[in-house]
Structures are given as structure tokens and as C-alpha cells.
Amino acid sequence: DTGVSQDPRHKITKRGQNVTFRCDPISEHNRLYWYRQTLGQGPEFLTYFQNEAQLEKSRLLSDRFSAERPKGSFSTLEIQRTEQGDSAMYLCASSVPGERSYGYTFGSGTRLTVV
Amino acid sequence: AQRVTQPEKLLSVFKGAPVELKCNYSYSGSPELFWYVQYSRQRLQLLLRHISRESIKGFTADLNKGETSFHLKKPFAQEEDSAMYYCALSGHGGSNYKLTFGKGTLLTVNP
């Protein structure tokens, strides 16, 4: 599968623990996005990278959230001191350079459950 | 601010019937509009882009700037069309590459 890969697929953690998710985009895509989706809602934008630069962050991304994309390849999203409200599906997507009109390719997501 | 509204959470039709999934948007400039689909146990995938004016799996969508709408239509629904459909908008200019999604419409096509 040469699409967008996310790991793990599921994560159950206790409140207060830290979690880290990984996303491997399509190799020739230089833009990478993180979204969060809760039940009954569409995906909500969290942040995006162009190569290794994080160019925009949503207000949804509190200071407990941090995302990195070292070397402009894979990306990680870390949530510190998790709260029950962080339970959601975390989606990663990537897109070709300079062509917004092609839309995104999404990964399967990481489902986080905070207990 | 950009906003996408899908007024129907659920839509149920019979096989062979026409289907229309509504999408209205709010954006001050010229947006790019998309429809994404998520079949059961599959990842979210792009269905249509307004800029390409294409028909995919029999679905079409026309951007109506006057009514700020981008409704998705298919003349004869098939059971395999049953899925969650999301309308999404991307703004223009600067680094505004993010997509804003509606809450989605769950389409069920009954036999």
C-alpha cells in the first residue's frame, strides 16, 4: 500500500498519560495535515506542514499538543497529559505540492480512547 | 471565516431513485469545493472536485456561487453508494490550504 500510513490504528490510554501518533505520507507529497474527528462531526483541522515547516496551527491545538515533521518526511503528533475530551479519531492526510485542487489523500486514522 | 453546512445528517432512498446531498458554504472569496466519501470500514477518500467538473461513479456536483451551494447529485442511486458523504471547502490565497468539512450526511440506499 503506497498510500498514507498511520500508526497505531487504535490507542487506549489512561487519563494523564502521553501518547504519540505517527503518520507516513505519500513520498512525493510535501504537504501533510493533521485532522481530528469526533462522533457526528466532520474532520476538524489541527495543523499542517509544508516539508518540515509547520505553517499553521488551529486554536484546537492546545499547548498539550505538539506536532513535528523532521526532515519533511513522516510526522508525529504528541498529546501530553491526555484528557477524556481528547478521545477522537486522528486523521493524517497529504497532498501534492502546489495543487490544492487535487485534494488530499487520507490515512486510515488513529482512534484514541482516553479512559 | 469559512463554514460548510450539510443540513441532512441522514438520507435514505431506494435503489434506482435520484439522490441529492445538500451542501451550502460560507466564504468571502472564491473557494474550491470538494466531496469526500467514506464507505464502511474504509478511509476517507476524494470523490469529486468542483474545478474538474467531472462525473465520478455517476455523481456530479455543480458549484452555484449565487446560492453558495455545491449539492451532490446522482440520477439513479445504487446500494453500493451507501456511505458517509462530506462536503469540504478550501480557501484561496496565502497559505490557506486547509480544508473545512461539513458534518456529513449518511446516505443509505435501500434495495
Side-chain angles (χ1 to χ4, degrees), chain B residues 18-92:
Chain B
V19 63
E20 181 179 50
L21 291 87
K22 290 184 166 53
C23 172
N24 289 89
Y25 67 88
S26 173
Y27 184 70
S28 57
S30 294
E32 294 187 27
L33 275 296
F34 305 84
W35 277 98
Y36 282 80
V37 61
Q38 188 165 28
Y39 301 102
S40 179
R41 298 193 185 88
Q42 294 188 26
R43 64 185 67 188
L44 197 59
Q45 57 187 281
L46 178 66
L47 178 64
L48 277 182
R49 306 167 285 156
H50 94 266
I51 200 165
S52 60
R53 296 181 169 273
E54 57 202 344
S55 173
I56 303 292
K57 299 184 179 183
F59 284 98
T60 59
D62 290 318
L63 179 61
N64 186 323
K65 292 186 178 180
E67 295 183 357
T68 58
S69 68
F70 188 56
H71 304 325
L72 183 67
K73 300 177 184 178
K74 185 169 182 177
F76 307 104
Q78 303 298 314
E79 289 180 68
E80 55 266 30
D81 296 329
S82 296
M84 193 74 178
Y85 290 81
Y86 294 97
C87 183
L89 175 155
S90 174
H92 256 276

Side-chain angles (χ1 to χ4, degrees), chain A residues 25-39:
Chain A
I26 294 173
S27 57
E28 60 267 28
H29 288 186
N30 74 341
R31 295 202 183 105
L32 184 148
Y33 311 81
W34 285 99
Y35 280 74
R36 180 173 70 185
Q37 187 173 20
T38 53
L39 201 61

